[in-house]
Every structure is written in C-alpha cells, then in structure tokens.
C-alpha cells in the first residue's frame, strides 16, 4: 500500500502519523513545498510575542522522528500535478530543476491555504511580511526585536494576535482595517465592543484605524519605510505585517478534476473523500459542513485540520471514520481581552435567511467580591420560530472563552433556549456568579421568544 | 395577597424579590431566625481567606433595601409551627419570649440546611466553629487572624475551601477526614489524585490526615486546645472548624404534614409545590430531581437555591415556571487546584445499577509552548449499553473548571460519547490544545464502547 500525502503542517502530518499507526507496513511519502513539517502555525504570534525563545517549540514532530517511524518526509518538494488516471503525482524538487512521478494507492491532499495579498502599491518591498510559515515567524520576530514602529494590515484573528505580539516586543503598532470595525466574524455590536475595549487598553502603545485602507507602501532597497492610506495618512513603519486573510490552495486539485465546493475550497464528504476515487483531502484546503444548518462553510483552523487529517487517514487505510462538520467555533485573545464564538452570528443567520432573536448581557465572570472579578459580555442567539439555539459570542477581560463551549454542546444537540435554561452549570464564587451569565442570557432569550409568540 | 416566606439566605431572598416584582401589591413578609438576610454563604471561606475585609461584601441585599421595595424582613423571627388548615404560621421572636400568628395566602419555605455535628467529646467547647452564617465567618476570621494552629474536621467542599482560607491566614492547619480520601463526591481515583496533588502543594503549611477520626476535644474555659483522634494522635489547635456536612432543616415542615422525599429533604414537584396546597419549598431544605436518571438527589447549593426560589415565587404569584432539576454539577478550588464535576460518578452510577465505561486523560490545558500551561485530568463516563454520557470530573492546576460545562449541556441533551466526539470546541493556543482534552477523553471512551460491543 502506497500512501502519498501532499502537505505537512497540521492535517498532512496528522494523516501521516495516523496512517502509519493503522498500517505499519504501508509506504508513506509526505511531500511539502515547506521547509518544516508538523508545526503549530497558530503558535507563530505567541512565538513572536516572546513567550518562548526557541522556534523549535513550534515543531510538534521533527522530520527525523517521522523517518524513524518509517514515514518519509520530503521537504521543498512541490506537487505540480495530480494524475488521477494513472494514480501518480508529479513532484518538483524545489531549487533543483528536477521533477519525478510518484505512484499512489491512496492520495491525501492537505495543501492548506495561503495569505491573501491585497492590492497595495509596492507590496513586494522588503520587510513586508505575512504570517504563515515558521520562517515568517522567525523573520518577523527578529525584525520586531530591532524595530520601533510597525503597521499591521487587517484586523481579523491573526491581525489582533500580531498586534499583541508586536506591542509586547515594544514595537509601536498601527493596525489598519478597511471595514468600519475589526473582528468581522463577530456581529457588529460585539466587534464594536471589541474595538472599544482594545482602544481602552491601548495607552499609546498601539493604534487601530478603521474604515481605512493601505494603498501604498514606500521605501527603498532596505525595505518599507512608510504606509500611505486611502484617506491620505502617512504612517512610518520599520516593517509591515499583512494579515488580510487566507485563501485555500486549490489549483492543483482543480486542475486534476477535483470538484470545489461553493465556498471555493475543495469539496469532500464526511469521510474526507473528494469526488475522485482514492483521493482524500483535509485541512485548510477543504470546506466544512456547518452542522447547525447543513450548509457549507470554510473554517481553516488547526483543530479542524487535525480532526480531518485523522479521518482522511483512517478511511484511506480502509477504516471507517467520519468528520461530521463544524459549529463555527473560534477563540482568541488580545492582551487581557478574550473573544470567542460558536455557531451562527446574527448577520450570518440573516444571510442564510434565518430569522433570529438574541439576548446580550454584560455580567461579572465570578461573584463580585472575588478579587479578580471581571466583566464579560455574552450574546446568545436563537432561531425565532423554533427557539433553537444558533450561536453564542463572548468577549471580555473575564473568563469568557470556555463559557462558549457550554453552547457548542447545546448546538450539537439542537437544544432550544428554553431547554438550555435548565442547564446546571457549575457554580462556586471563584468561577461564576450564582447564576452564570450564560443562564442570564438564556433567560432573557427564552422570555423574548415567548413574547414574540404571544404577539 | 399575603405571601409569607420562611428563611432568607439565597432561595428565600430570591423568592421575596421575585414575588414583589411580579405582584407589587402583594404583602410580603420574610421571617428568618438568622441575623442577616440575602447573603452569599458560599463566600464565607473567601472572606475568611482575606480576599476582602468587609463582611458586608457578602450581603447581596440589605434588609433596608428590601423594606424600601415593600418587602418586610423580620430577622431573629423563628417559625415554630405551620398551620396549613388555617393558613397560618406561628412565629417566635427570638430573645423576647414572644410569639404571634401570621396569615398567609401563599407560604414559601426556604429554611435551608444546618451543619452536622459529629459525635466528638467536648464538641461544645469554645472556639469550635461551623461555617454557615455570617457570624460564623466573622468569628472564624477574627480567630484565624490571631491564631497559629487549627484543625478542620471533614474533607469535603467546605473543608478544603476552609483549608485554603486558614492557610492563607498563616494558620498551620490539620484537616482530619475519617474516609480513606477527601472529596468523596468524586470517584475514588479522582479523589485520590486530589489528595495527592494537595499534599504536593502542602509544603509544611498544612497536613491532611485520612482514615482518621477526631474523637475528643480538650481544653478549658478559654476554649479548645487539643484534638485527639481515634488512632491516638494529639493535635494542638487554637480553634477547630467542623465541616462534616449539612442536613436539611425539615422538622417544621414534617410536623405540618409536608411530605419528605427519599433523600430526607422536602419533596417538591418541578413547580416547587409541596404536597400541601399553597405551600412551596425551595433551597437547601428541598431535594432535587437528577435529570440524567430521573431519580432524587439532595444538592444544597447556592445556584440551585437561587433558581428554585425564583420558580417558587413565580408559581406562588400565579405564574408558570418550572425547575426541571439538576445534573449534579459542582466546582471548587483549593490553592491552585480546581475540581469540578457534573452528572454521575461511576460509584453513584453503580449504586443506581447502571453499568458504566469511563476514560481518563491527563493533558495540557493549553498548547505546550504557552508559558502558563498546566495539567488537567479529565474523567468522562458513559453508560455501557447506550453510550450515553453520564458524567464528567475534571481536576488540575490548569483550566479544568469550565471544561465540565461543555458536558453539562451534553448531559442535558442526552448525547452519546460518539455524538459528543463531533463537538467543535473552541481552539487557540492560549486556551486549549489543538484537540481539547475533552475530545481526547471522548475519543477513548467512544472506542472503548465500540470495542465492548464487538466482544
């Protein structure tokens, strides 16, 4: 049995390891255009921030460890073409002007995503970075340690994680976001609150510009020096980090006749099979099933990649595993503020034609007399007709992140707000108010739903 | 409409406030034998610990605030007899040798629980405390601030909370537990781990003796000086705190013909109605429905009391509210160690004749390269035949407490381990490993259940 895996960050590395455990005699070759394999891309901002000095902490498993287990890792080997008819892949050895064909019985595509580079004049200048690979992290960290000013383009998850990282490296940072607010994955009321709370934290160490677009970089052979914006601002910068989102790597798959989904990423079923026999796909290059609505969504996250890599490997090895889909859960932090969500936002629900009711509460995260008490704001959303919970968003300096996970299970099970209200969440003064803010929100939501029926 | 409420800590105070909001014209009288009303009894250990200096922080709402809203609070008024036939309560004014009859249209009994005093010789000595009322907290705190050595009797929730409190007041503390391990609400494997981890924290500031019973106190008119144990140990103590559990206050209800449940606490339906018309009961004096098995359980906790008080008031005021029951959720901490649980333990399931399968994992609470990473141990339990989740226990210095709340929702919805495995828990390096320990445990559990079927 010959298993070929393309890509090796999260999904590819997981698939390789799992396949070898299931079929110790299989010949497993993993090809990647990267210089590292099996690393925590999500950890790059925390490395840059200085939480740990050695970038090798990001490496989950080294190539030599894979080799010892009999998994062959081929770094700097780019997959140039998939030939499903002959069950082969054309591999180019990067920097060597050499290519070869390799056979597969099962092919697992895990080629990930790549940063979107906005149309900005002189975007190719030196010291303009993206945050995707280990080298990116090393380069940005080194630059940050020797710089005073930086600009971040984009205020999504990576943008605000980089904001914290650079500020903690004592780099005065300006984040430029073209939309009226940052963290657009959240509903507008919540993302405005995030913006407000981050600006309160700021204290001259950083600035967030919204409704503002970087239109031009200027500099010289030594690199970028200045960022110009659409409104005419000129911001000095020793370096720029572009965090304008990512797009799935799909060219090679599309070229081979693999069907893409409506999101633009590779379409797979819950066994991670593509439309072509013996070709599986997983990780950031595939789209996911959104469990709540059974619609498609693209959620390129390490946790999804990991689960999908596992499922692809089990099925490629003749087993039977399924990855049903996602709930749209995500979390991050920026300084003391944590932001987490699961399920549908109201704007996402609206775009799917679902009528919603929501309740938002701002409450203490624990009993008020505890010394480390902090505020959290929770928004709970339900479908108007059925009362079924659709999603939750939580932000705050308090213990906001894990509260959302009580809602993920509820979404998975299809609970209504009224059913959720009977939840027996743990209580003790250091951990929660007597009535958890989630239940405050559920109470208000259930009453709103009830009233809407009476009208 | 005359509403009489007996008891005013959590359930009674909540019921009074809610009733007044619903029926502003109702005459509401709350009688309590206590000297305070509407306070956080759960907060006493944190007050004693020194997290805040003013005991009034424990008071949620002062009698004068109730009065301003038109709710009459009668402190030091003990309910001596309920007369359901004439719809009256006999009230004794404490310390005044005076009593009177008061009429009610609706009666809400919220008389709570009281500490169990074990049979120990000279237990009535001075400086032997229990932890129930505000005065207890004030007295223990004052004593702790001026003492060097103390003994705690009992290693349950309050016992270990008091252990942390006293040690933080620089009192060398010996906790004596008669069972072979502490925190008996957990399964033995988990409570042994709690004991082990607490002993590792100890560093000469405290000692935990298990399988040991306090048999005698000795001292003089100034109070206790020494605690003798069954094995002959003699432990010096400037004071003793008895944390040997609580029992429901039921005498007055029983005397009135109100039916008690199988747990010994007052039996109510999900509207918080007793068997006698127009008499409701709520809080620590009533038993709860355990949602997972539909059996009865007695869970005297502030959060349950609060919800029950609300439901009792709504229904007493002619509304329609239900409190379906509990999942057995609880949490506490002792120093850096947090301990939480929901649902059935294996030993509880066994006592109910339910065959279980469980999976226990010890994992990082976040990605390993984060500077504040810590271990947590999670035990996930399912019913063997159906795969239905039954419970979860989590302990550790890491972020253990809220993880259990992802399981409460699953228990509420009746999810199986396999269904739970498809959960999309939030992930980012500061908050969780790529695959949350809950999902690791669910994976192992689902595989065990699957294997057990194949045999």
């Amino acid at each position: 049995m010959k298993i070929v895996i393309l890509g090796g960050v999260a999904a590819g590395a997981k698939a390789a390891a799992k396949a070898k455990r299931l079929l110790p005699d299989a010949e497993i070759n993993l090809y990647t255009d990267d210089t590292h394999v099996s690393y925590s891309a999500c950890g790059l901002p925390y490395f840059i921030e200085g939480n740990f000095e050695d970038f090798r902490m990001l490496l989950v498993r080294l190539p030599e460890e894979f080799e010892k287990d009999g998994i062959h890792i081929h770094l700097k080997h780019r997959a140039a073409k998939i030939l499903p008819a002959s069950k082969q892949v054309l591999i180019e050895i990067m920097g060597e002007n050499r290519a070869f064909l390799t056979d597969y019985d099962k092919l697992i595509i895990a080629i990930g995503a790549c940063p979107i580079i906005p149309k900005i004049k002189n975007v190719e200048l030196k010291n303009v970075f993206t945050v995707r690979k280990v080298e990116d992290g090393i380069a940005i960290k080194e630059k940050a340690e020797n710089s005073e000013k930086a600009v971040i383009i984009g205020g999504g998850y990576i943008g605000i994680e980089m904001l914290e990282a650079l500020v903690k490296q004592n780099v005065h940072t300006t984040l430029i976001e073209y939309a009226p607010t940052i963290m657009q994955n959240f509903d507008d009321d919540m993302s405005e609150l995030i913006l407000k709370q981050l600006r309160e934290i700021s204290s001259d160490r950083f600035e967030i510009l919204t409704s503002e677009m970087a239109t031009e970089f200027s500099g010289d052979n030594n690199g970028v020096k200045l960022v110009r914006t659409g409104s005419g601002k000129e911001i000095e910068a020793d370096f720029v980090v572009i965090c304008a989102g990512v797009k799935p790597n799909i060219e090679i798959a599309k070229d081979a006749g693999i069907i893409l989904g409506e999101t633009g990423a590779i379409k797979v079923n819950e066994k991670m099979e593509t439309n072509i026999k013996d070709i599986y796909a997983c990780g950031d290059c595939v789209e996911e099933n959104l469990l709540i609505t059974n619609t498609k969504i693209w959620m390129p996250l390490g946790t999804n990649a990991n689960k999908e890599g596992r499922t692809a490997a089990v099925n490629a090895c003749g087993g039977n595993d399924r990855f049903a889909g996602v709930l749209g859960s995500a979390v991050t932090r920026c300084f003391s503020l944590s932001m987490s969500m699961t399920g549908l936002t109201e704007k996402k629900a609206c775009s799917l034609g679902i009528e919603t009711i929501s309740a938002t509460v701002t409450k203490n995260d624990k009993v008020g007399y505890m010394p480390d008490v902090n505020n959290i704001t929770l928004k709970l959303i339900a479908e108007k007709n059925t009362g079924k919970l659709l999603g939750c968003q939580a932000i705050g300096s308090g213990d906001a992140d894990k509260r959302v996970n009580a809602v993920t299970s509820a979404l998975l099970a299809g609970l209504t707000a009224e059913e959720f209200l009977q939840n027996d969440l743990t209580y003790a003064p250091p951990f929660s108010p007597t009535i958890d803010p989630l239940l405050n929100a559920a109470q208000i939501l259930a009453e709103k739903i009830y009233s809407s029926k009476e009208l």
Side-chain angles (χ1 to χ4, degrees), chain A residues 53-192:
Chain A
E53 284 307 309
D54 188 346
F55 76 86
R56 280 169 295 190
M57 298 273 287
L58 294 167
L59 309 179
V60 181
R61 212 169 170 213
L62 298 172
E64 45 270 36
E65 295 176 89
F66 282 98
E67 287 290 346
K68 205 158 59 184
D69 287 345
I71 298 163
H72 309 301
I73 302 288
H74 308 271
L75 302 174
K76 295 182 163 189
H77 279 60
R78 179 188 289 128
K81 198 168 181 65
I82 299 167
L83 307 156
S86 57
K87 298 184 85 167
Q88 290 175 304
V89 183
L90 178 67
I91 304 287
E92 288 176 346
I93 307 177
M94 292 161 71
E96 289 192 22
N97 278 331
R98 212 150 54 82
F100 60 89
L101 282 170
T102 186
D103 300 335
Y104 67 80
D105 295 309
K106 305 281 181 179
L107 176 66
I108 299 175
I109 301 174
I111 50 178
C114 62
I116 294 171
I117 309 296
K119 285 195 182 71
I120 299 173
K121 203 174 159 190
N122 301 324
V123 77
E124 69 294 342
L125 271 173
K126 230 181 106 182
N127 296 330
V128 174
F129 301 101
T130 55
V131 194
R132 188 76 196 161
K133 300 190 171 184
V134 174
E135 303 91 277
D136 300 334
I138 295 170
I140 296 172
K141 183 160 195 255
E142 199 188 319
K143 191 70 194 163
E145 286 168 347
N146 300 291
S147 297
E148 283 173 16
K149 294 174 201 141
V151 164
I152 292 170
I153 311 289
Y157 285 88
I158 311 292
I160 66 163
E161 288 168 8
M162 284 306 303
L163 179 66
E164 179 180 353
L166 298 184
V167 168
K168 288 210 173 147
Q169 286 287 4
N170 297 311
V171 178
H172 183 278
T173 306
T174 306
L175 186 150
I176 302 176
E177 166 63 50
Y178 79 95
T181 183
I182 57 171
M183 292 299 281
Q184 294 282 303
N185 276 35
F186 286 73
D187 273 325
D188 290 349
D189 50 346
M190 296 298 273
S191 55
E192 275 161 24

